[in-house]
């Protein structure tokens, strides 16, 4: 059994944060499913920009689409390409989905980052992409913004699986977890089944430490009187924040509200650890996997991080360990004025902007390659 398979056995499902046509056609995803127990795939505009905007893997498909759809908008050409890849990944994962009774085996496709603050547009696009891919093991990615929460409820009520993305703060996570429950409750009111509706809440990790650590380093360099206390928090705040979210999740699924839904077959909305590639070379490259292992969770990893864990990761029930220490870390961060709330708020805005920029670059690359369309 590979270490990635051991990770799955410990309760943390292994997902790949990458999709690329050449990788799919070469059987790379099938190999990960067979050898490492991989059960899911995530995509985002940045991933598609790297895949479609560089190299020639998609050129033939774009040319064929242009011949059939003269004058098509660039965004329609992108969606055609993306949907093909997502369908291919979904087909590869369908046996996993079937074997696990719909509890895993999902591939995610994101709504446009341009509409992150538009609830109605997000709902409309979620429905459009869901219909276009037409696979039961698809998840539509919706950002966990204020506008995203009601869109999540509406999508779930429609029977659309949802991957909530760009979550950094506990209050934002609570909001979308309750939105998921509200969507299921609406389906129950409509007399619709809820046992094959799935959702994950993608809680981003490494970016928090990157920003917090920068604050710490600047203050230490400036001779801050609390330098030692600050240095003791380096690389710890993001993990503590994630453990706090999981503790809330455990309380929520034990609540009367959730138990009423569970009695009707509802699946819990699993926490998914995202942004798990280590940015600081001073940290172990498996830091954000080793420290966040626990039941009913997911870790979506870029290929490099997945390779690192397969080689030298450590499997142990770490997510529920040292919870008091995690609370102490967050209390210290607050006492020292590190402003976690401000950091997480900034990261949501930066995340939306980053995906929008990647989408701009992606559409620009497609248009440049085939300007006659």
């Amino acid at each position: 059994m590979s270490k990635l398979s051991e990770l799955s056995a410990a309760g943390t499902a292994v997902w790949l944060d990458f999709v690329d046509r050449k990788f799919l056609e070469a059987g790379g995803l099938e190999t990960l499913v067979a050898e490492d127990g991989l059960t899911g795939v995530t995509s985002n505009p940045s991933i598609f920009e790297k895949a479609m905007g560089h190299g020639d893997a998609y050129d033939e498909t774009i040319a064929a689409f242009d011949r059939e759809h003269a004058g098509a908008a660039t965004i329609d050409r992108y969606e055609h390409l993306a949907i093909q890849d997502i369908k291919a990944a979904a087909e590869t994962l369908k046996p996993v989905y079937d074997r696990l009774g719909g509890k895993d085996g999902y591939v995610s496709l994101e709504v446009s980052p341009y509409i992150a603050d538009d609830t109605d547009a997000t709902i409309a696009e979620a429905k459009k992409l869901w219909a276009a891919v037409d696979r039961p093991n698809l998840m539509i990615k919706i950002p966990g913004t204020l506008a995203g929460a009601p869109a999540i409820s509406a999508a779930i009520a429609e029977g659309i699986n949802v991957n909530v993305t760009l979550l950094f703060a506990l209050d934002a996570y609570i909001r979308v977890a309750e939105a998921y429950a509200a969507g299921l409750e609406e389906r129950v009111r409509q007399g619709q089944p809820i046992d094959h509706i799935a959702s994950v809440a993608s809680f981003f990790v490494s970016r928090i430490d990157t920003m917090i650590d920068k604050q710490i380093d600047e203050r230490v360099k400036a001779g801050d009187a609390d330098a030692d206390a600050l240095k003791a928090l380096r690389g710890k705040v993001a993990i503590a924040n994630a453990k706090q979210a999981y503790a809330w999740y455990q309380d929520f699924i034990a609540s009367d509200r959730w138990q009423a839904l569970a009695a009707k077959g509802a699946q819990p909305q699993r926490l998914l650890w995202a942004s798990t590639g280590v940015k600081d070379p001073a940290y172990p490259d498996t830091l954000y996997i080793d420290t966040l292992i626990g039941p009913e969770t997911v870790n979506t990893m870029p290929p490099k991080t997945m390779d690192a864990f397969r080689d030298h990761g450590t499997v142990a029930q770490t997510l529920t360990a040292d919870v008091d220490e995690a609370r102490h870390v967050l209390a210290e961060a607050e006492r020292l004025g590190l402003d976690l709330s401000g950091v997480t708020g900034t990261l949501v805005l930066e995340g939306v902007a980053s995906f929008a920029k990647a989408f701009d670059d992606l559409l620009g690359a497609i248009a440049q390659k085939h300007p006659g369309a």
Side-chain angles (χ1 to χ4, degrees), residues 94-158:
K94 184 61 163 50
V96 176
Y97 174 86
D98 291 339
R99 174 170 56 83
L100 298 176
K103 291 179 171 55
D104 213 331
Y106 290 93
V107 58
S108 299
L109 177 61
E110 190 148 359
V111 298
S112 167
Y114 299 151
I115 57 174
D117 294 317
D118 188 328
T119 299
D120 291 341
T122 297
I123 295 168
E125 181 149 339
K127 290 180 180 178
K128 181 185 76 170
L129 294 175
W130 177 257
V133 175
D134 193 24
R135 298 293 187 277
N137 57 330
L138 171 70
M139 281 188 176
I140 299 297
K141 292 180 81 172
I142 296 175
T145 57
L146 284 172
I152 292 159
S153 289
I156 293 296
E158 290 279 343

Side-chain angles (χ1 to χ4, degrees), residues 243-314:
K243 288 189 175 187
Q244 177 182 236
Y246 188 72
W248 185 90
Y249 161 83
Q250 290 181 302
D251 289 341
F252 184 64
I253 61 171
S255 69
D256 291 344
R257 181 184 186 186
W258 179 257
Q259 287 301 310
L261 290 166
K264 295 178 172 62
Q267 298 184 35
Q269 182 188 54
R270 292 176 294 170
L271 271 162
L272 177 151
W273 313 121
S275 183
T276 55
V278 172
K279 309 295 192 292
D280 189 331
Y283 300 149
D285 53 4
T286 59
L287 176 67
Y288 300 115
I289 306 172
D290 294 342
T291 54
L292 297 172
I293 300 172
E296 295 182 331
T297 58
V298 181
N299 197 307
T300 187
M301 313 170 199
K304 184 177 178 182
T305 304
M306 186 173 285
D307 291 344
F309 190 86
R310 185 190 296 109
D311 181 67
H312 53 265
T314 301

Side-chain angles (χ1 to χ4, degrees), residues 78-266:
Y78 152 72
E79 286 184 359
H80 176 70
L81 297 175
I83 287 167
Q84 283 189 334
D85 281 0
I86 295 298
K87 282 183 175 180
E91 288 300 317
T92 299
L93 289 167
K94 184 61 163 50
V96 176
Y97 174 86
D98 291 339
R99 174 170 56 83
L100 298 176
K103 291 179 171 55
D104 213 331
Y106 290 93
V107 58
S108 299
L109 177 61
E110 190 148 359
V111 298
S112 167
Y114 299 151
I115 57 174
D117 294 317
D118 188 328
T119 299
D120 291 341
T122 297
I123 295 168
E125 181 149 339
K127 290 180 180 178
K128 181 185 76 170
L129 294 175
W130 177 257
V133 175
D134 193 24
R135 298 293 187 277
N137 57 330
L138 171 70
M139 281 188 176
I140 299 297
K141 292 180 81 172
I142 296 175
T145 57
L146 284 172
I152 292 159
S153 289
I156 293 296
E158 290 279 343
I160 297 171
N161 304 315
V162 176
N163 176 340
V164 184
T165 188
L166 290 177
L167 294 171
F168 296 91
L170 178 63
D171 59 348
Y173 164 55
I174 292 172
R175 184 167 60 242
V176 302
E178 291 178 341
Y180 173 56
L184 292 175
E185 288 162 347
E186 178 58 28
R187 280 187 69 78
V188 170
R189 280 191 288 272
Q190 295 171 3
Q192 298 292 323
I194 60 173
D195 57 327
H196 270 66
I197 307 295
S199 181
V200 294
S202 296
F203 207 83
F204 283 53
V205 189
S206 68
R207 295 185 196 182
I208 291 174
D209 277 341
T210 298
M211 191 168 283
I212 291 283
D213 287 356
K214 183 180 178 183
Q215 287 185 36
I216 290 172
D217 293 345
E218 288 172 351
R219 287 175 58 179
V220 169
K221 186 176 180 180
D224 195 294
D226 291 310
D228 289 342
L230 286 163
K231 285 190 286 187
L233 295 183
R234 272 191 115 262
K236 294 182 179 178
V237 174
I239 294 164
N241 191 47
K243 288 189 175 187
Q244 177 182 236
Y246 188 72
W248 185 90
Y249 161 83
Q250 290 181 302
D251 289 341
F252 184 64
I253 61 171
S255 69
D256 291 344
R257 181 184 186 186
W258 179 257
Q259 287 301 310
L261 290 166
K264 295 178 172 62

